[in-house]
Amino acid sequence: MNTTQRTDQQTSAERRRRELLEAADRVVLRDGPQASMNAIAAEAGITKPILYRHFGDKGGLYAALAKRHTDALLDSLRAALDAPADRRERVESTLDTYLAAIEARPQVYRFLMHPAEGSAAQGDQGFDVGKHSAPLLRRMGEELAQVIEERLDLGPDTRRLARVWGHGIVGMMHAAGDWWLGERPCSRQELVRSLADLLWGRLAAAGDRMGGPGF
Amino acid sequence: MNTTQRTDQQTSAERRRRELLEAADRVVLRDGPQASMNAIAAEAGITKPILYRHFGDKGGLYAALAKRHTDALLDSLRAALDAPADRRERVESTLDTYLAAIEARPQVYRFLMHPAEGSAAQGDQGFDVGKHSAPLLRRMGEELAQVIEERLDLGPDTRRLARVWGHGIVGMMHAAGDWWLGERPCSRQELVRSLADLLWGRLAAAGDRMGGPGF
DNA sequence: ACTCGGTGTTACCTTAAGTAACACCGTACG
DNA sequence: CGTACGGTGTTACTTAAGGTAACACCGAGT
């Protein structure tokens, strides 16, 4: 019974935790990354200390929240990356998956990418920006690096190149997506093809517009 | 004298403003983006309300501060981008200029890239993240886009491609730089060459490591 | 009947943004 | 010479948010 008891309590606590996370999710969806602990507690129908008992501090709550979304997005990306198709197709499909995700839920995206506001704004407590900034980007970069290293033969420097490229490509995707989300200058597919073209070396291959060495 | 008076007052106010900005700069250098208005005022030898009279609110001060550094960095980047050399050399030199800047003053870099704290004080008032986020990145992206558009011939889609690539390349540089600054996995020159290799299409050209379609 | 672990609350502390009201000081002007 | 005025500065306050201490309730096992 000791076991069952503990199990019951655990599941109860975990269910509560999930409920709290879902409430927090709703608030973040509505208010963006600046959602206050009070607001989240109110949405969950309880008060602050309970949140703190479950998550330690605001950083903990936000980390837990971010982990859910990050895991979900990473799963989609892995699926796109592992699909049976040639390299270019996979790259385009992965880019498209990411862009579709941020297009579908921009509030969540903003929360994941700019989590700083929620924390370090007032109390200097919580959240070293340099350490926690955009963990999603880091994780995506590392995952992509691993995939590149596993599958590509880049000579003796494969390991280093793969990591640099992983983070670089993810950053390219992120920045282009962020800009695109704000301005909507073209369709998603055009953006995907343009980025893939960039990765496929069209920059180096392009001709100069006029005299001089060109860019 | 009316004129001279007014001029004197203006220059005096502007000199004061510069002094305050320099004090703020020192504090940000020391404390990172979480520098408080109190700390900045103390460093400048005055008290808060004066800062607010000069800059409106914390966002205003931070924007003024960011503009200085951003302008300076953009000047260096333009110089590297305009140097008389072939395209690959220019790209490497621009990447290296950026990386050298963030390496030399990481605190300033963090302040410029994660300025979110400066705004969302209370109320939901401050900061549409999508609008204000990382203005440096946006400005660099636009500048690079313009350079690309002016100098490269990419067919009928030049305009769009140039903008996508401008923001994408800047994002690549930024993310790779951020990661590199945290882990220091290789020398700056190795990083520069790896990124240039990526832009030069080595990803598309690489051979698969084993059977199957490869990445 | 009693303790104990878990859940909940109220009431508080601390820090930091932002502001109102007042004090000082040099200068033009009657 | 006194006085009103613009500019610089201050103290002291309000408000909002993160975070915590202390207490209250409740169900289950001895």
Side-chain angles (χ1 to χ4, degrees):
Chain A
M1 27 47 171
N2 220 345
T3 327
T4 53
Q5 245 186 7
R6 211 181 275 160
T7 308
D8 285 355
Q9 285 170 4
Q10 273 191 359
T11 56
S12 151
E14 282 176 14
R15 225 180 36 209
R16 200 89 189 94
R17 189 185 160 96
R18 272 221 321 275
E19 288 171 17
L20 297 184
L21 274 180
E22 269 152 33
D25 217 13
R26 286 193 296 275
V27 177
V28 167
L29 242 309
R30 176 158 42 77
D31 298 353
Q34 296 138 23
S36 79
M37 294 299 264
N38 264 324
I40 292 172
E43 170 73 27
I46 44 118
T47 52
K48 273 193 299 176
I50 301 189
L51 285 182
Y52 285 96
R53 280 225 266 268
H54 274 273
F55 301 104
D57 63 356
K58 191 171 188 173
L61 200 174
Y62 275 32
L65 207 49
K67 188 167 186 323
R68 294 177 105 206
H69 293 289
T70 300
D71 288 348
L73 179 54
L74 277 174
D75 282 348
S76 325
L77 292 178
R78 264 190 289 265
L81 219 40
D82 283 338
D86 69 15
R87 195 182 300 166
R88 167 97 189 201
E89 252 176 281
R90 288 180 187 207
V91 168
E92 290 199 7
S93 152
T94 307
L95 288 169
D96 193 63
T97 300
Y98 172 82
L99 294 169
I102 72 171
E103 183 180 28
R105 305 172 63 163
Q107 292 285 357
V108 172
Y109 158 70
R110 298 220 163 99
F111 165 71
L112 290 177
M113 290 307 179
H114 308 279
E117 280 115 305
S119 54
Q122 255 101 9
D124 60 279
Q125 199 65 300
F127 242 60
D128 177 347
V129 178
K131 192 175 149 235
H132 284 83
S133 158
L136 171 55
L137 283 186
R138 289 297 174 91
R139 282 184 68 190
M140 288 197 297
E142 286 298 323
E143 296 253 354
L144 183 52
Q146 207 167 335
V147 170
I148 292 176
E149 184 183 347
E150 280 168 14
R151 302 198 197 162
L152 258 59
D153 184 8
L154 295 164
D157 286 340
T158 292
R159 194 176 190 80
R160 180 169 54 78
L161 277 172
R163 296 195 81 205
V164 172
W165 290 7
H167 290 280
I169 292 171
V170 164
M172 178 202 77
M173 179 173 81
H174 163 237
D178 196 77
W179 162 75
W180 172 75
L181 205 58
E183 303 205 3
R184 291 307 183 101
C186 60
S187 76
R188 206 172 76 213
Q189 185 168 1
E190 283 174 314
L191 178 60
V192 167
R193 292 191 54 110
S194 303
L195 290 176
D197 279 355
L198 176 59
L199 289 176
W200 253 250
R202 246 185 102 184
L203 171 67
D208 293 342
R209 180 139 269 191
M210 43 179 80
F215 166 59
Chain B
M1 47 353 191
N2 219 346
T3 328
T4 53
Q5 245 184 8
R6 212 179 275 158
T7 308
D8 285 355
Q9 284 170 6
Q10 274 190 359
T11 56
S12 151
E14 281 176 15
R15 226 179 37 208
R16 200 89 189 95
R17 190 186 159 97
R18 272 221 322 274
E19 287 172 16
L20 297 184
L21 275 180
E22 270 152 32
D25 218 12
R26 286 194 296 274
V27 177
V28 167
L29 242 308
R30 175 158 40 80
D31 297 352
Q34 293 142 20
S36 79
M37 294 299 265
N38 263 325
I40 293 171
E43 170 71 29
I46 44 118
T47 51
K48 273 192 300 175
I50 301 189
L51 286 181
Y52 284 96
R53 281 225 266 268
H54 274 275
F55 301 104
D57 62 356
K58 192 171 186 172
L61 199 174
Y62 275 32
L65 208 50
K67 189 170 185 320
R68 293 177 107 204
H69 292 289
T70 301
D71 288 349
L73 178 54
L74 277 174
D75 282 347
S76 325
L77 291 178
R78 264 189 289 264
L81 219 40
D82 283 339
D86 70 14
R87 196 182 298 165
R88 167 96 189 202
E89 252 176 281
R90 288 179 187 208
V91 167
E92 290 199 6
S93 151
T94 306
L95 289 169
D96 192 63
T97 299
Y98 172 83
L99 294 170
I102 72 171
E103 183 181 28
R105 305 170 61 158
Q107 292 285 359
V108 172
Y109 159 71
R110 290 201 202 292
F111 165 71
L112 289 175
M113 289 307 179
H114 307 280
E117 283 101 314
S119 59
Q122 70 241 64
D124 55 277
Q125 112 109 316
F127 235 55
D128 178 348
V129 177
K131 193 176 149 234
H132 284 83
S133 156
L136 172 55
L137 283 185
R138 288 298 174 90
R139 283 184 67 191
M140 288 198 296
E142 286 298 322
E143 296 253 352
L144 182 53
Q146 207 167 335
V147 170
I148 292 175
E149 183 183 347
E150 280 168 15
R151 302 198 196 161
L152 258 58
D153 185 8
L154 295 164
D157 286 340
T158 293
R159 192 175 193 81
R160 178 170 55 77
L161 277 172
R163 297 195 80 205
V164 172
W165 290 7
H167 289 281
I169 292 171
V170 164
M172 179 202 76
M173 178 172 80
H174 163 237
D178 197 77
W179 162 75
W180 172 75
L181 205 56
E183 303 205 5
R184 291 305 183 104
C186 60
S187 75
R188 206 171 77 213
Q189 184 168 1
E190 283 174 315
L191 178 60
V192 167
R193 293 190 54 110
S194 303
L195 289 174
D197 279 354
L198 176 59
L199 289 175
W200 252 251
R202 245 185 103 184
L203 171 66
D208 294 341
R209 179 138 271 192
M210 42 179 79
F215 168 60

